[in-house]
Amino acid sequence: MSPLRTHFSSTARQLSPVISKAPLTGRFGGLVKAFARFAPPLLVLAFAPAFHLNPPAETPGQKSLRSLTTIQLVDVADKAGLDFQHFSGSPEKKYILESMSGGVAWIDYDRDGWPDLYLVNGGRWEELVEGKRSVSNALYRNNRNGTFANVTQLAGVGNTRWGMGVAAGDYDNDGWPDLYVCNYGPNTLYRNNGDGTFSDVTERSKTGDARWSVSAAFADYDGDGWLDLYVANSVKFDYKNPFPMNCHYRGIIVQCGPLGLPTDPDILYRNNRDGTFSDVTAKAGLAGVPPSYGLGVVWIDYDNDGDPDLYVANDQMPNFLFQNQGNGTFKEVGLVSGVSYNDDGVAQGSMGVDFGDYDRDGLLDLFVTNFSDDHNTLYRNLGNGVFRDMSRAADLVFPSWQMVGWGTAFCDINHDGWEDIFAVNGHVFPQVDNYEIGTRFYERPQYFENLRNGKFREVPAAVKAKPGSSRGAAFADFDNDGDIDVAVNNLDGKPWLLRNDGGSQSGHRLMLALEGVRTNRSAIGVRVTVETSDGKQIREVRGGSSYQSTSDFRTHFGLGTQSVVKTLSVRWTDGKIQKFENVRANRHYKLKQGGTLE
């Protein structure tokens, strides 16, 4: 969200945000920034990439793996029957609370093999003040024909509070995925009863964190076979005495925050395996970091040691990378790993986050979406616990400069075997529409095609959706045609359901649904590796990522021209590995731990 650009605005920034905020390289930053005061911005940014590590070189044969058809991500939400309407306070967005909702989750709650959709709603300001609630979250059951049915009331998951994000996972290992909703006020844990309904078990589970929680994610951090839960909290915000709307963004009066507002610490819940959780934040070594404005959260095994690590995107404060020590504790290594700040040593306004092996070197890389007058950041995993900011070398600076980025993911949209990047955008200040400053409140989503040489290119024509002020984004093959689609929750608007038209014809693919037996039933944290004649790819199942969102638990691989997977390897969270040889492409497979591919 907004840095205290909202509190302070320099003359240089008002005259030229590109010059005043250009993230020029660390080693020669002082020299280049001094030059930037006098040189045209385009010349400076063209000069800056020379100081970065070279991107991975394209290997022989990569150029032949181009898309076979044109990809189109088409909004079919209306046709699909998604009649959801998001609400979040006043049109003016006077207070920071009104700008942050809402999450989205793909959850196959009825276990029929077709992903269902959960959308989180915000609230009306006057109802918050009066203690009322007319706004509801929504659960849509997949009808398996391209349409959805609203089953919110039947399922009992409407939520009674101002909603933010949502995480999904089978916390009680009964085989049915559950929902955890982050709120302004006590959060809500919904237990899936297995009969199409859910029960609010917040009080019994002891997970009703009463602070302003933004995002959450499930993972089995201690390897006991039961899902634990991390919750990212934001500012201490009192709706009865909110900070007045008297701050400035580039000379425009806007809402205040987050800088200047008090923070609340995050929380780690350990699963007690009896339907309850315990706050182990301090015991696990996570309380040693300063409370920050937490937004995006993702668990991932970035160091390839077999246990889940944790990355937290903080707004205008250093981001956290908690390395799992394998003994129930964590060590914060963001600074020494190079992922707390960008390459200029600047803490960015970070929102959305995801990991993926974009260069296919067997190491999971990191992508973070950020505020405008800045750029989204791509960190390449160099191994040995070290990352490098490759945003400029990857050609990702200019396309994201005026955007305010939120939900995001690495995913192979075009099935060429290389993970692309998708990100949604939307400003937090409606007031920017009254001025010609190069940015708007409603912004377009962005699809960045992986060029297989360390670079990406935006393909604007591929996304067919009207601009919006988007927040959460979640990814799934909702129509089971073999390619990845995207659901997006838009602030004060209708959702997008971006159906991938062309992906399933662009190249071969494979999808795998996993079920744990000795490990957590959702298989969250399981790593899948596929090897073809073209190389290896890796994916991990996640119980929350992007911004406030949870994607389909099924792992998806584009395979390009390869119709057979030479080796498919599944590393379960207990360390056991299953391997399968000569697996046919273009199928949806199921695997129960210890069993065979179906």
Side-chain angles (χ1 to χ4, degrees):
M1 238 273 297
S2 158
L4 269 199
R5 306 175 180 117
T6 52
H7 283 293
F8 306 100
S9 66
S10 67
T11 302
R13 183 177 296 120
Q14 294 180 47
L15 292 175
S16 176
V18 177
I19 294 177
S20 66
K21 292 292 292 180
L24 302 172
T25 10
R27 180 178 298 180
F28 298 95
L31 175 62
V32 178
K33 286 180 180 177
F35 177 65
R37 297 181 61 186
F38 306 98
L42 291 178
L43 178 58
V44 174
L45 290 177
F47 181 61
F51 301 119
H52 281 270
L53 290 175
N54 292 326
E58 187 174 77
T59 60
Q62 288 178 15
K63 292 183 179 180
S64 65
L65 295 177
R66 299 303 178 187
S67 299
L68 304 179
T69 62
T70 301
I71 302 298
Q72 296 284 293
L73 293 165
V74 182
D75 180 17
V76 295
D78 288 340
K79 293 180 180 178
L82 299 180
D83 55 358
F84 180 81
Q85 171 65 51
H86 186 271
F87 295 93
S88 192
S90 66
E92 298 83 10
K93 301 290 175 275
K94 296 179 180 179
Y95 311 113
I96 188 172
L97 175 67
E98 300 175 291
S99 298
M100 308 298 285
S101 177
V104 53
W106 288 107
I107 173 176
D108 185 9
Y109 82 99
D110 53 5
R111 295 184 56 184
D112 65 352
W114 294 75
D116 310 296
L117 185 63
Y118 189 75
L119 293 160
V120 179
N121 219 326
R124 293 185 171 97
W125 187 264
E126 61 275 14
E127 292 182 350
L128 177 65
V129 173
E130 296 170 3
K132 299 178 181 179
R133 174 78 173 178
S134 65
V135 171
S136 173
N137 297 356
L139 176 63
Y140 290 89
R141 186 187 66 230
N142 194 325
N143 292 329
R144 299 182 283 183
N145 61 2
T147 68
F148 292 78
N150 191 327
V151 295
T152 311
Q153 186 172 357
L154 174 65
V157 290
N159 202 33
T160 59
R161 299 182 177 90
W162 195 304
M164 290 288 156
V166 55
D170 183 5
Y171 81 91
D172 54 358
N173 277 342
D174 65 352
W176 299 90
D178 311 296
L179 288 167
Y180 186 79
V181 181
C182 296
N183 300 310
Y184 172 64
N187 300 332
T188 309
L189 178 61
Y190 291 108
R191 180 183 179 270
N192 191 332
N193 298 320
D195 59 0
T197 69
F198 290 75
S199 296
D200 183 343
V201 295
T202 309
E203 184 174 354
R204 180 181 184 277
S205 66
K206 303 178 182 179
T207 56
D209 192 345
R211 294 167 291 185
W212 177 9
S213 300
V214 177
S215 294
F218 284 104
D220 180 13
Y221 82 90
D222 53 2
D224 66 353
W226 296 73
L227 290 175
D228 310 297
L229 178 66
Y230 187 88
V231 182
N233 293 315
S234 186
V235 304
K236 291 181 179 178
F237 183 82
D238 182 1
Y239 73 92
K240 297 179 181 179
N241 186 29
F243 205 83
M245 183 177 170
N246 62 0
C247 294
H248 291 80
Y249 168 73
R250 295 173 67 176
I252 306 169
I253 296 177
V254 296
Q255 64 178 244
C256 293
L259 292 183
L261 301 181
T263 57
D264 255 333
D266 299 346
I267 186 169
L268 175 65
Y269 290 109
R270 184 179 184 272
N271 194 327
N272 295 326
R273 298 179 284 182
D274 59 0
T276 69
F277 290 78
S278 295
D279 179 353
V280 295
T281 313
K283 184 177 179 180
L286 299 177
V289 298
S292 300
Y293 308 118
L295 295 182
V297 178
V298 62
W299 292 91
I300 204 78
D301 182 14
Y302 81 94
D303 53 5
N304 289 349
D305 66 353
D307 50 32
D309 310 295
L310 176 66
Y311 188 83
V312 182
N314 294 315
D315 191 357
Q316 282 301 291
M317 303 181 80
N319 297 331
F320 300 144
L321 178 59
F322 295 106
Q323 184 185 48
N324 194 326
Q325 302 299 293
N327 59 3
T329 68
F330 294 83
K331 180 180 180 181
E332 206 291 304
V333 296
L335 179 61
V336 296
S337 295
V339 294
S340 287
Y341 304 89
N342 67 9
D343 208 24
D344 295 318
V346 174
Q348 298 177 280
S350 300
M351 273 81 79
V353 59
D354 197 25
F355 278 84
D357 185 12
Y358 80 94
D359 52 3
R360 301 205 327 189
D361 64 354
L363 299 167
L364 290 168
D365 312 295
L366 169 65
F367 185 73
V368 183
T369 58
N370 296 303
F371 199 76
S372 66
D373 300 340
D374 202 343
H375 62 83
N376 296 337
T377 309
L378 176 67
Y379 297 97
R380 184 185 177 199
N381 191 334
L382 304 179
N384 297 318
V386 178
F387 291 77
R388 181 63 191 267
D389 181 348
M390 300 299 290
S391 310
R392 294 179 191 81
D395 292 339
L396 291 170
V397 169
F398 277 129
S400 61
W401 189 264
Q402 296 297 346
M403 302 292 186
V404 178
W406 300 89
T408 188
F410 286 100
C411 53
D412 190 355
I413 298 288
N414 59 6
H415 284 170
D416 65 352
W418 296 75
E419 288 189 286
D420 310 303
I421 294 173
F422 190 88
V424 300
N425 306 290
H427 221 290
V428 297
F429 306 138
Q431 294 78 16
V432 299
D433 287 347
N434 299 323
Y435 301 87
E436 294 298 328
I437 59 174
T439 190
R440 311 294 292 175
F441 186 62
Y442 287 171
E443 298 176 332
R444 70 179 186 274
Q446 293 178 292
Y447 161 46
F448 297 100
E449 181 186 12
N450 190 331
L451 299 182
R452 286 142 275 176
N453 60 358
K455 296 180 180 294
F456 293 82
R457 67 178 173 196
E458 186 187 357
V459 189
V463 187
K464 302 299 182 182
K466 295 180 180 179
S469 189
S470 305
R471 294 299 181 263
F475 302 77
D477 180 12
F478 84 89
D479 50 5
N480 279 341
D481 67 348
D483 52 30
I484 293 297
D485 314 294
V486 190
V488 180
N489 203 344
N490 291 307
L491 193 77
D492 283 345
K494 300 287 187 179
W496 296 330
L497 180 60
L498 301 177
R499 186 185 63 202
N500 189 335
D501 292 345
S504 58
Q505 289 81 43
S506 295
H508 298 292
R509 74 275 181 189
L510 181 147
M511 188 168 287
L512 178 61
L514 298 162
E515 181 180 352
V517 176
R518 295 179 300 277
T519 60
N520 74 87
R521 294 289 293 273
S522 299
I524 290 171
V526 173
R527 175 174 292 193
V528 181
T529 304
V530 299
E531 181 179 2
T532 67
S533 299
D534 185 50
K536 292 183 179 181
Q537 300 181 55
I538 58 176
R539 305 281 191 275
E540 288 188 11
V541 183
R542 295 161 200 176
S545 61
S546 183
Y547 172 73
Q548 298 186 337
S549 300
T550 304
S551 295
D552 189 3
F553 294 152
R554 297 179 295 181
T555 56
H556 168 266
F557 295 87
L559 301 174
T561 61
Q562 306 300 308
S563 60
V564 175
V565 172
K566 294 168 58 178
T567 304
L568 187 153
S569 176
V570 178
R571 187 191 73 186
W572 298 92
T573 56
D574 62 1
K576 301 293 178 58
I577 297 176
Q578 288 184 260
K579 290 187 177 181
F580 304 91
E581 308 292 336
N582 299 319
V583 179
R584 291 170 49 198
N586 304 324
R587 289 187 57 185
H588 287 64
Y589 290 95
K590 296 180 181 179
L591 176 64
K592 191 171 184 177
Q593 187 176 13
T596 59
L597 285 179
E598 299 177 5

